[in-house]
Amino acid sequence: MFHRIRRRAKEPSEAQRQFAELHARMQGQVPPGIGVPAAEPEPAEPARLVDDFLPPELRVPSHDQVDGKMMPWKQPLVLDGEMAACAECGAYRDWLILSTRGEIWLRCRAGHQQQETRLDTAWFNRNSGPADATHATFEDCLRHLGH
């Protein structure tokens, strides 16, 4: 076996001969720019900041800048097959649903509020539409929603 390996090393194969011929012909025919280090880029002038964000009147606060969100819910609210009703006055429709600090609260037209543990923030986010306004106070928001 060792004799065959040595014999092959002494006698180049046809493919090795063709490669050697091609290599000899290509000597000195390197395309320009090959093997030459790339030129260092010129230092660019500092990027100028462009304020391409929304204008201030169209911006909305992020979730960490608001104390809570609320939405109207006119129809009866059915949870786990049971209709939610106000614990004080018995109202079962025309709710304001408030989401604040990871809790959901129901507020009836009479102004009574109760925490609803069967709902969570994910439910609120799935069922609420986009915010149409932001308000500085809770009372301003209540007035905006007609309560």
Side-chain angles (χ1 to χ4, degrees):
M1 181 169 179
F2 291 109
H3 298 290
R4 272 192 252 148
I5 293 174
R6 288 186 188 139
R7 208 173 330 137
R8 281 190 200 145
K10 291 179 183 176
E11 299 170 15
S13 69
E14 183 62 30
Q16 288 174 331
R17 273 194 296 272
Q18 288 176 352
F19 179 76
E21 288 173 15
L22 182 62
H23 181 67
R25 278 188 285 168
M26 295 300 291
Q27 287 298 91
Q29 297 183 7
V30 178
I34 301 293
V36 178
E40 288 192 23
E42 295 180 22
E45 60 182 73
R48 289 181 285 157
L49 294 176
V50 178
D51 188 18
D52 62 349
F53 199 66
L54 290 171
E57 64 272 6
L58 295 178
R59 296 179 192 172
V60 295
S62 66
H63 70 280
D64 59 337
Q65 294 173 322
V66 295
D67 287 329
K69 302 176 191 177
M70 65 174 72
M71 69 173 171
W73 193 272
K74 300 289 183 190
Q75 66 269 22
L77 184 62
V78 179
L79 305 169
D80 300 329
E82 181 181 317
M83 191 174 346
C86 177
E88 294 186 41
C89 66
Y92 61 93
R93 63 177 55 200
D94 199 15
W95 295 105
L96 279 183
I97 303 178
L98 298 91
S99 173
T100 180
R101 296 183 188 100
E103 299 173 341
I104 303 296
W105 292 78
L106 301 178
R107 181 181 171 97
C108 70
R109 177 63 74 171
H112 307 125
Q113 291 182 181
Q114 62 192 36
Q115 185 177 5
E116 184 51 69
T117 57
R118 295 174 287 184
L119 297 178
D120 59 4
T121 306
W123 179 91
F124 184 89
N125 292 338
R126 281 192 308 271
N127 289 282
S128 65
D132 63 347
T134 56
H135 303 280
T137 65
F138 181 70
E139 290 74 22
D140 288 343
C141 190
L142 290 175
R143 276 193 293 279
H144 174 75
L145 293 173
H147 276 254

